Amino acid sequence: ATELIVCYFALQRGLLLVVQVSLLGSILSNTLLVLGCSMVAAGIRQMQSKFNLVAAQSNTTLLQIAILGLVVPTAMESTGQFAEHSPNDLTLARGISIVLLILYVLYVYFQLFSHAALFEDTSGEDEDEEPEEVLLPMSGAIAWLAFATVLIAFLSEKLTGAIEGTTATYGISE
């Protein structure tokens, strides 16, 4: 959600390049940094890790489709088939965005409803376990989430506002 908030304020200021780089950085950090850190942490804790094959295959496929969605418009533009910011380029980008959004919604449906059993933890925990103690009630969690969202929106507004001044002062690109 943080990336969406930053992108919203950047788009309001017309900083399309910042939006593109922010989303690319988000994808790379989530796929490489988070995955790498989780593998290192798992390797420290145990010699061999087990992963859910269906989840790994689903995530890998979605990642490949998302990368394709980023590469195709760039390739079409760099080979001269579309002019930059032309109506054809915009139509292609919007079409890819709609397809990616539909795929994401279908993946969430697949993961939570139609094939939820494939994503459940089957590590052999006892079914007679006591339920965990609730540390924060639902209302408190919603309040903290709302506070964090407002704080991120405020910081995103300040960040995108500072980009124009910084690039002008130091003579660097966005």
Side-chain angles (χ1 to χ4, degrees):
T2 304
E3 292 88 2
L4 292 178
I5 295 171
V6 170
C7 290
Y8 172 77
F9 287 110
L11 282 176
Q12 277 189 329
R13 294 182 181 270
L15 302 171
L16 183 61
L17 185 60
V18 172
V19 172
Q20 292 171 335
V21 172
S22 173
L23 291 176
L24 181 61
S26 172
I27 291 170
L28 291 176
S29 69
N30 284 329
T31 55
L32 298 177
L33 181 66
V34 174
L35 179 63
C37 288
S38 65
M39 287 185 178
V40 167
I44 291 171
R45 186 171 176 218
Q46 55 197 22
M47 287 297 292
Q48 185 175 8
S49 298
K50 295 181 182 178
F51 295 96
N52 185 334
L53 181 63
V54 175
Q57 288 174 338
S58 301
N59 287 330
T60 302
T61 301
L62 285 178
L63 178 62
Q64 290 172 344
I65 292 171
I67 290 170
L68 189 63
L70 290 171
V71 169
V72 167
T74 305
M76 298 289 277
E77 196 174 294
S78 66
T79 58
Q81 295 188 15
F82 289 151
E84 188 173 350
H85 305 297
S86 70
N88 290 337
D89 186 30
L90 186 60
T91 302
L92 178 65
R94 287 180 179 164
I96 290 172
S97 299
I98 290 168
V99 168
L100 290 175
L101 183 62
I102 290 169
L103 284 173
Y104 177 73
V105 169
L106 289 173
Y107 174 69
V108 169
Y109 179 79
F110 172 77
Q111 186 176 10
L112 297 179
F113 300 109
S114 69
H115 292 76
L118 295 175
F119 293 91
E120 291 177 0
D121 185 20
T122 57
S123 60
E125 296 177 1
D126 291 335
E127 294 179 14
D128 297 334
E129 280 188 18
E130 296 178 21
E132 293 182 13
E133 179 184 349
V134 176
L135 300 176
L136 186 65
M138 180 66 80
S139 59
I142 290 173
W144 275 107
L145 183 61
F147 172 74
T149 303
V150 169
L151 180 64
I152 289 170
F154 173 75
L155 294 174
S156 297
E157 173 69 23
K158 293 292 185 190
L159 173 71
T160 55
I163 290 174
E164 293 169 336
T166 304
T167 55
T169 302
Y170 294 106
I172 55 175
S173 66
E174 296 173 351

